Amino acid sequence: MANLKEVRNRITSVISTQQITNAMKMVSAAKLKRATDAIVQLRPYANKLKEILGNVSASVSDVSSPYTAERPIEKVLIVVISSNRGLAGAFNANAIKKAQQLIQEKYASQSANNNVSVLAIGKKGYDHFLRREFNVVGEHNEVFNDLTFDNCSAISQELMDSFAKGEYDCIEVVYNRFRNAAIQSPESEQLLPLVSQSTENLEEQPEHDYIIEPSVEEIVQGLIPKTIKIQLFKAILDSHASEHGARMTAMDKATENAGELLKDLRLSYNQARQAAITTELTEIVSGAAALSAG
């Protein structure tokens, strides 16, 4: 009977876990809808803004900006976007692995000279790089509490100011790009210096006749910081949608696995119960036979 009690306790525990994972899946599904709507609506705007900047700046040869200055890359900042919570499958691990791969391969010489710094957006990334004694210069875990363009712009402005002062020669962002609820691909993008569209891409596109007021130079100077802020905001929204998609998928799989485990436990329980009943019946029959013989 002790075995039966143990199996009953396990069944109760698995049922409780299944209810929790199913509830988490439903919550993530609701949040995923809002996060997906946000990134799907922003992407066309961000891409068009970058295209306009490339077309307009291509016609102006003497426009300079502190955010487009290309310098020898000695000091690098990697912005790693993760999440504040776990239970999202390989979501955080993929972003962290992508960042480490970027440091080890692309910026190996800078890393050897201890010139690679990490800025974490998300508690999981921050804790990981801090434990491994990377040069973590800050964190912005609070941005997910109120994910708005203004809050993300404050982070962008901080990065832009650091680059303009020469604290870093290159700033890259590592995040999970949202494909769908089941697929999120880790990617890295250069945020600063801002790289406009290549000449080849511009030649392939039809020419655009823009009416510009007050002047091309002023428009380009205004578009550059705007584009940088939008690109970081897009990366954060992409990562936010990817997080909920990954968590929903992980919790759905966990709920499914709990169901399979329950089937096995109930089968084991019924077999143990049947064996116990058979043993009791055998003892009763044996006792009755002994009394009859006596």
Side-chain angles (χ1 to χ4, degrees), residues 167-178:
E167 295 178 11
Y168 305 105
D169 301 312
C170 181
I171 298 178
E172 292 216 26
V173 180
V174 177
Y175 66 100
N176 282 285
R177 179 178 173 83
F178 179 78

Side-chain angles (χ1 to χ4, degrees), residues 54-55 57-59 195-206:
N55 286 321
S57 60
S59 61
V195 179
S196 61
Q197 293 178 330
S198 65
T199 306
E200 293 180 2
N201 292 336
L202 290 174
E203 289 176 353
E204 295 173 358
Q205 295 178 358

Side-chain angles (χ1 to χ4, degrees), residues 87-99:
L87 297 177
F91 168 78
N92 290 306
N94 287 340
I96 291 169
K97 183 179 178 181
K98 181 69 175 179

Side-chain angles (χ1 to χ4, degrees), residues 102-119:
L102 187 69
I103 295 171
Q104 293 168 1
E105 296 179 2
K106 188 174 180 180
Y107 300 112
S109 60
Q110 290 85 353
S111 178
N113 295 327
N114 199 29
N115 284 334
V116 175
S117 303
V118 175
L119 176 69

Side-chain angles (χ1 to χ4, degrees), residues 36-74:
T36 303
D37 290 344
I39 186 58
V40 168
Q41 292 171 10
L42 181 67
R43 272 181 188 163
Y45 173 74
N47 294 335
K48 193 65 178 178
L49 185 65
K50 204 168 186 179
E51 177 189 333
I52 292 173
L53 176 62
N55 286 321
V56 174
S57 60
S59 61
V60 185
S61 58
D62 59 343
V63 171
S64 61
S65 169
Y67 309 126
T68 59
E70 295 187 7
R71 302 186 289 263
I73 299 177
E74 296 180 359

Side-chain angles (χ1 to χ4, degrees), residues 37 52 147 155 227:
D37 290 344
I52 292 173
L147 191 51
I155 303 174
T227 301

Side-chain angles (χ1 to χ4, degrees), residues 252-285:
D252 180 62
K253 190 64 178 176
T255 303
E256 182 181 330
N257 291 342
E260 294 296 326
L261 183 57
L262 277 175
K263 290 181 183 179
D264 295 338
L265 287 173
R266 283 167 177 158
L267 179 61
S268 298
Y269 177 79
N270 290 334
Q271 289 174 341
R273 185 167 176 271
Q274 185 177 8
I277 292 173
T278 302
T279 301
E280 289 179 4
L281 288 175
T282 301
E283 292 173 353
I284 292 172
V285 171

